[in-house]
Amino acid sequence: MSHPVVVGIDGSPESRAAGEWAAQEAELRGLPLRLVHAAEAPAPGSADLPVAFLWRQGGEEALRHTEADLAARHPRVTTSSVQVTGSAAAALLSASAAAGLLVVGARGEGGFDGLAVGSTALEVASGASCPVVVVPKDPSAVRPEAEVAVGVGGGPVEESLLDFAFDAARLRGARLRAVHAWALPGVPLSAALLVPEEDRGAWEDQEVQRLSDVLRGFTDRCPEVPVLPDVVLLHPAQALVHASRRAGLLVLGRFSGPRAAERRLGPVAHAVLHHARCPVAVVPRA
């Protein structure tokens, strides 16, 4: 990764948490940090012009304060900022084309109390050209020293997803927990305990071997990263949310095909973003 870390700033507590996370990550990776604020443009002659002017002023002030604060606390990081015209989601999606990593707060100044993830974060996570990290507001949820967790499916080897996860663990000197959720064929999870233990054991052994096969090439390339295979008989979203409770970063994949153009995440990623207890990285994959 050689492109900058880009973070969306709007003055909200969530964006301040995102800015701090992004600065730490830029320092960790030896990359520049770029702060972006978006200001909607009113129609010419609109009565909203004074409000738009104040919004732009507020955005510029938030950028200046955040940039100065982050530069003071992370002097080794080259920091810059820019204000652009348009919606926050459109601005960040555009910025993602030249970014190595895009960071957003789980929600911004809009929304309502109790909203876990805002529309901007969801839209950016579903359609950005680069990996996106969604950072929660609660500082206690951000634990850089904790393990990195990654969700691994049972399909083809997920190069971009596992490359990102192994690299994140290596940079942090952390353990990588590879979470693989599975289900008994043709058996609802609610009825799994009714299946004889020896049958469940045989199926689980197959899933453990499948995960081992997926990880083998990556563990050979990154022997310095300790890996904990975690094969669980759970719904994937449940398994990943559980893993987020002890993780400093949770890494998920998303398909970057037609569904991305529709600005939609899959149900597992959507559920995890709403309920995870740590920052979540969403990595586009073919």
Side-chain angles (χ1 to χ4, degrees), residues 175-271:
R175 179 175 70 182
L176 179 64
R177 179 182 295 270
V179 182
H180 174 62
W182 67 287
L184 290 160
V187 180
L189 281 171
S190 58
L193 291 178
L194 301 178
V195 176
E197 186 175 348
E198 58 271 22
D199 292 342
R200 279 190 284 124
W203 280 106
E204 184 171 13
D205 288 346
Q206 291 184 28
E207 298 298 331
V208 169
Q209 185 60 53
R210 182 176 298 175
L211 177 59
S212 177
D213 292 343
V214 169
L215 295 173
R216 184 173 297 113
F218 296 89
T219 54
D220 290 345
R221 290 202 299 259
C222 300
E224 69 275 28
V225 176
V227 178
L228 176 63
D230 191 1
V231 177
V232 287
L233 185 60
L234 277 177
H235 187 279
Q238 245 185 322
L240 293 169
V241 170
H242 285 174
S244 76
R245 294 172 181 167
R246 52 183 166 249
L249 179 67
L250 174 61
V251 185
L252 308 177
R254 71 159 173 86
F255 292 108
S256 53
R259 294 193 68 182
E262 297 167 9
R263 300 289 186 262
R264 286 191 293 179
L265 289 168
V268 171
H270 196 277

Side-chain angles (χ1 to χ4, degrees), residues 132-203:
V132 175
V133 175
V134 179
V135 180
K137 172 185 175 181
D138 181 8
S140 67
V142 182
R143 297 170 293 159
E145 75 287 352
E147 68 183 18
V148 174
V150 58
V152 183
V157 176
E158 300 155 335
E159 292 281 344
S160 58
L161 172 67
L162 289 173
D163 278 342
F164 184 95
F166 270 85
D167 196 43
R170 179 186 59 80
L171 288 168
R172 289 162 172 76
R175 179 175 70 182
L176 179 64
R177 179 182 295 270
V179 182
H180 174 62
W182 67 287
L184 290 160
V187 180
L189 281 171
S190 58
L193 291 178
L194 301 178
V195 176
E197 186 175 348
E198 58 271 22
D199 292 342
R200 279 190 284 124
W203 280 106

